[in-house]
Amino acid sequence: AFDGDSEASALNCFTSFVRIFMPCFYDGESFVILHVTLLFFRQLLLYHLPHLHNQLEEAGVAPVVYATPWFITLFAYKNPLHVIMRLWHEYIRRGDPTFVPFLAVALMELEKQAFLDAQEDDFNSAVDRTRITSLEKLKDV
């Protein structure tokens, strides 16, 4: 437990958080957990958003390109800190490490029209612009 006074205590809490809730952060040189998570996410995307999945695949935009930063950083990549704190709070409250790929699919669902409207050569940019920019958008996800 974090006592608020000790750097060692803060490090222990952060280490526990990473170990429990960020399994993709680093699990060795091969990043096995990350690869499995990406495969699972791809299958979820294919099941829930088949048209979008197929369009991204045809354009050569693989989940490894756009979802890796989401999974490694728990969506901290390019998102505002106040949104990430709320997201992480909900993530910890749920206590379910498998929540992240489902959240990624929900985010793709929310941004689906932007992807579908993008030109084939602009898919990478459209996916790269995918962010949870506000608490309102987080609620929608």
Side-chain angles (χ1 to χ4, degrees), residues 35-103:
H35 289 286
V36 170
T37 303
L38 287 164
L39 286 171
F40 181 55
F41 168 69
R42 184 180 175 279
Q43 293 302 314
L44 285 171
L45 194 62
L46 177 60
Y47 181 79
H48 292 284
L49 302 168
H51 185 68
L52 178 60
H53 168 273
N54 293 338
Q55 195 167 1
L56 290 169
E57 287 287 320
E58 288 170 11
V61 181
V64 70
V65 174
Y66 59 88
T68 295
W70 297 343
F71 297 155
I72 288 178
T73 68
L74 277 180
F75 293 92
Y77 178 73
K78 294 187 176 182
N79 289 304
L81 183 59
H82 72 284
V83 173
I84 296 308
M85 293 290 104
R86 180 72 59 88
L87 172 65
W88 287 4
H89 174 80
E90 179 63 23
Y91 185 46
I92 291 167
R93 189 188 67 74
R94 285 177 179 257
D96 182 3
T98 65
F99 177 62
V100 173
F102 291 96
L103 180 65

Side-chain angles (χ1 to χ4, degrees), residues 85-129:
M85 293 290 104
R86 180 72 59 88
L87 172 65
W88 287 4
H89 174 80
E90 179 63 23
Y91 185 46
I92 291 167
R93 189 188 67 74
R94 285 177 179 257
D96 182 3
T98 65
F99 177 62
V100 173
F102 291 96
L103 180 65
V105 170
L107 180 59
M108 296 295 284
E109 170 72 30
L110 188 66
E111 296 292 328
K112 177 175 67 172
Q113 198 56 51
F115 303 136
L116 296 175
D117 290 345
Q119 299 299 320
E120 188 169 326
D121 59 343
D122 195 36
F123 281 140
N124 280 320
S125 296
V127 173
D128 190 51
R129 288 190 299 269

